[in-house]
Amino acid sequence: MRSGRILLAALAAGVLTLAGCGGDGGGDSAGGGPGGLTVPKIDKLAALGAGEGEVNVVSWAGYVEDGSTDKSVDWVTGFEKETGCQVNNKIAGTSDEMVALMKTGEYDVVSASGDASLRLIYGGDVAPVNTDLLSNYKDVFEGLKNKAWNSVDGVPYGAPHGRGANLLMYRTDTVTPAPTSWSAVFDPASPHKGKITAYDSPIYIADAALYLMKTKPELNIKNPYALDDTQFQAAVDLLKQQNELIGEYWSDYTKEVQAFKAGNSVLGTTWQVITNLTKADGAPVEAILPTEGATGWSDTWMVSAKAKHPNCAYLWMNHIISPKANAGVAEWFGEAPSNKLSCAETKDPNHCATFHAEDEAYFEQVWYWTTPLAQCIDGRKDVTCKDYSAWTQAWTTIKG
Amino acid sequence: MARLGSYLHRHPRLRLAGLLSAPLLWLVVAYLGALAVLLVSAFWTVNGFTGEVVRQFSLGNFRTILTEEVYRNVALRSLGVAAAVTVICVVVAVPMAFFMAKVAAARSRHWLVIAILTPLWASYLVKAYAWRILLANNGPMDTLFGGPGYGLPATILVLAYMWLPYMILPVYAGLERLPDSLLEASADLGARAGRTFRSVILPILIPSVFAGSIFTFSLSLGDYITVQIVGGKTQLIGNLVYANIGAANNLPFAAAIATVPVLIMVIYLLAVRRSGALEEL
């Protein structure tokens, strides 16, 4: 028993020491963001100089391919030869990981999604981008420039990369008539109870909010990522009710492809690339953009505020949104390219049509993923909104 | 070198310190240190916007866990899964281990042990996805038994498959230590099979089974991958931890949830300590 007491004492000592160190750092917790706070003042690069010989990149898997995954997929080697900038790529698994990596200051550019980009901007981790130095920027679709997630007060913070919508997929042999609305996945009397699927992430609450935005105007939801207490509760209640219908939630795409092939799932949210893969495997599925619109994602290449290789970083950003490289990424990853001229460069001539790259009307119905913050991002000042950690905890209660 | 040797010879305490400093450092810094960080950070919170940890003492995380019904339900569900997995493993492992230790010929024994170990050579993920295909609609399990599909029963089934070797091996090791002569002596003294089992085998078996159950129980309690793959919409404690770290970057809340299985395991270990199971590990 004596050894037990020593162990306990050691543990207690450790805890006390750590608690002692833990005192500092609490003071700078007053965070900020849209609706009050200002962006850290960081100068953009004024003129392009000579390359520094290398560039450190943080990216999503599949965005920076140098032929090592698949010999025919390579848009890095040519760039390295042309500019002399050696590309060192670090793949991040989640948006949170991307933010953490960029905070180290060791990386020059990052392919941030909309749920990370504002955090990087307000955290002072990325610098405004001088778009005059990017010769390909003029060919980027207007619908992607100066948006809420990649610019602040009209100042652009990056080069738009690609985008996609979260669609509604269904099996054509079992789901008849074909659905046109998200009500198909929320209807408590659905004949497909137990075979409906939904994206397994707190951000899916926005899908319910989007549906309520159109079907319950009295809730007055203006933006599915800015929900006050009442609006949030309504979305959570809707999802709790939907939980009865769900067979399983999906988070990785292989899981969903297999579930739709086997028929364990017949109806639910999807990405275009998943639909293509499921179809390629011979399953009778279709995907639509429902009448209410949809949530979606859009990525942006951003340059670090502490970039050690800013010139190579600009050269890289310009290269990755160039028609050829952009087409390569869009096809390899399965998304709509951001450059207008990319559509002529894709191996599959229908790629842009399949992913609605040129269809601005289509993307006007898409609400891109954005981090929910306590400061409402729809501009309301009189209420506080639910932040992402509240969304996560609610997601736990929804799944039960 | 020789001088150092003789110096150490004259100072036994220094000798001991030299021998133990590396493992002690490992134990205190890496092992207890990580546990302490876990316990301490459970009392912190996270700034919702910057995602940075706010190092101020707060009981908020524990209040949420205790007051929200969902956490109680998930904890009880995880406990039930861990118990069911353990029971299944015991039922399958005891006859198997008995056969290996007492019935099978000595030279086939090590082949049997290798056969038990082979599933451990394959990646956990591959096995879980293989089960996902086995359990799919119109898959082998569905055709043969009409279910169970994806959900809680599937989770228990697959976890029991995953952890079975961890139950068989300690039980086999325990039974192997039981001399055959004891069984023969028991028979010579007139005991029937039932009496021999109760008086000779069971006292060896029980601590071994508890030793195995510590593995199956704690591994099931912490698992989140299997349930994510074959669990349908079920969530266990591991999923809650993962969701709070992976999606929300809320390490303090995840740490607070992680104290639940730690607490359950401490209670479990205290309960099985009396049986002598800890000596069997």
Side-chain angles (χ1 to χ4, degrees), chain A residues 236-255:
Chain A
V236 168
D237 288 343
L238 178 64
L239 289 170
K240 276 187 180 163
Q241 180 196 314
Q242 188 204 29
N243 181 270
E244 304 287 317
L245 309 170
I246 296 285
E248 70 174 354
Y249 295 92
W250 67 274
S251 49
D252 64 313
Y253 71 88
T254 47
K255 204 174 142 183

Side-chain angles (χ1 to χ4, degrees), chain A residues 29 32 243 252 255 258 396, chain B residues 47 49 129 132 228 233 235:
Chain A
S29 64
N243 181 270
D252 64 313
K255 204 174 142 183
Q258 196 252 330
T396 300
Chain B
N47 179 315
F49 186 58
Y129 272 102
R132 189 174 159 83
Q228 210 158 305
K233 57 181 175 175
Q235 55 182 354

Side-chain angles (χ1 to χ4, degrees), chain A residues 182-198 204 238-249 264-268 398, chain B residues 233:
Chain A
W182 285 115
S183 63
V185 298
F186 291 116
D187 174 16
S190 170
H192 307 293
K193 186 174 177 175
K195 296 198 166 181
I196 293 175
T197 188
Y204 183 68
L238 178 64
L239 289 170
K240 276 187 180 163
Q241 180 196 314
Q242 188 204 29
N243 181 270
E244 304 287 317
L245 309 170
I246 296 285
E248 70 174 354
Y249 295 92
N264 285 66
S265 299
V266 297
L267 188 67
I398 288 163
Chain B
K233 57 181 175 175

Side-chain angles (χ1 to χ4, degrees), chain A residues 284-295:
Chain A
V285 293
E286 282 301 332
I288 55 152
L289 185 78
T291 49
E292 294 91 358
T295 57

Side-chain angles (χ1 to χ4, degrees), chain A residues 39-334:
Chain A
V39 194
K41 180 121 184 60
I42 298 164
D43 291 328
K44 59 186 180 186
L45 193 68
L48 201 57
E52 294 91 347
E54 63 172 341
V55 59
N56 298 322
V57 181
V58 178
S59 72
W60 293 113
Y63 273 15
V64 181
E65 293 290 335
D66 59 1
S68 51
T69 315
D70 183 332
K71 270 206 178 67
S72 64
V73 180
D74 181 358
W75 48 86
V76 171
T77 316
F79 167 78
E80 287 175 339
K81 280 204 190 107
E82 200 179 299
T83 61
C85 298
Q86 169 77 33
V87 176
N88 308 314
N89 185 36
K90 165 86 185 163
I91 291 172
T94 63
S95 287
D96 293 315
E97 202 182 328
M98 275 189 180
V99 174
L101 285 171
M102 288 309 285
K103 278 194 190 299
T104 65
E106 287 168 23
Y107 298 90
D108 302 306
V109 279
V110 59
S111 66
S113 292
D115 55 339
S117 49
L118 281 185
R119 279 190 272 170
L120 290 168
I121 294 173
Y122 283 94
D125 301 312
V126 291
V129 168
N130 187 346
T131 52
D132 295 340
L133 304 181
L134 303 175
S135 59
N136 290 312
Y137 190 77
K138 61 180 192 313
D139 299 322
V140 170
F141 289 110
E142 289 304 321
L144 284 170
K145 288 180 184 168
N146 285 329
K147 292 293 163 183
W149 62 90
N150 62 17
S151 70
V152 172
D153 301 332
V155 178
Y157 273 79
H161 173 91
R163 54 182 167 174
N166 301 318
L167 305 172
L168 175 61
M169 177 155 78
Y170 60 97
R171 271 187 72 118
T172 48
D173 54 346
T174 39
V175 183
T176 46
T180 56
S181 152
W182 285 115
S183 63
V185 298
F186 291 116
D187 174 16
S190 170
H192 307 293
K193 186 174 177 175
K195 296 198 166 181
I196 293 175
T197 188
Y199 185 52
D200 188 1
S201 162
I203 208 75
Y204 183 68
I205 293 173
D207 287 54
L210 178 76
Y211 178 67
L212 291 173
M213 192 160 101
K214 298 291 158 72
T215 52
K216 285 221 173 126
E218 66 271 21
L219 283 168
N220 214 11
I221 298 174
K222 295 275 177 267
N223 181 323
Y225 302 99
L227 304 175
D228 62 32
D229 288 350
T230 333
Q231 296 164 342
F232 188 71
Q233 196 52 48
V236 168
D237 288 343
L238 178 64
L239 289 170
K240 276 187 180 163
Q241 180 196 314
Q242 188 204 29
N243 181 270
E244 304 287 317
L245 309 170
I246 296 285
E248 70 174 354
Y249 295 92
W250 67 274
S251 49
D252 64 313
Y253 71 88
T254 47
K255 204 174 142 183
E256 184 169 38
V257 169
Q258 196 252 330
F260 268 85
K261 254 169 67 187
N264 285 66
S265 299
V266 297
L267 188 67
T269 46
T270 191
W271 300 330
Q272 184 68 53
V273 59
I274 297 176
T275 309
N276 297 350
L277 286 168
T278 317
K279 271 188 186 169
D281 276 348
V285 293
E286 282 301 332
I288 55 152
L289 185 78
T291 49
E292 294 91 358
T295 57
W297 83 93
S298 168
D299 297 337
T300 308
W301 284 97
M302 301 181 136
V303 63
S304 168
K306 291 160 256 172
K308 292 188 189 72
H309 315 99
N311 293 311
C312 272
Y314 268 76
L315 290 171
W316 170 257
M317 284 200 291
N318 193 42
H319 168 72
I320 198 71
I321 60 168
S322 67
K324 213 162 176 77
N326 194 234
V329 183
E331 274 200 298
W332 175 249
F333 187 81

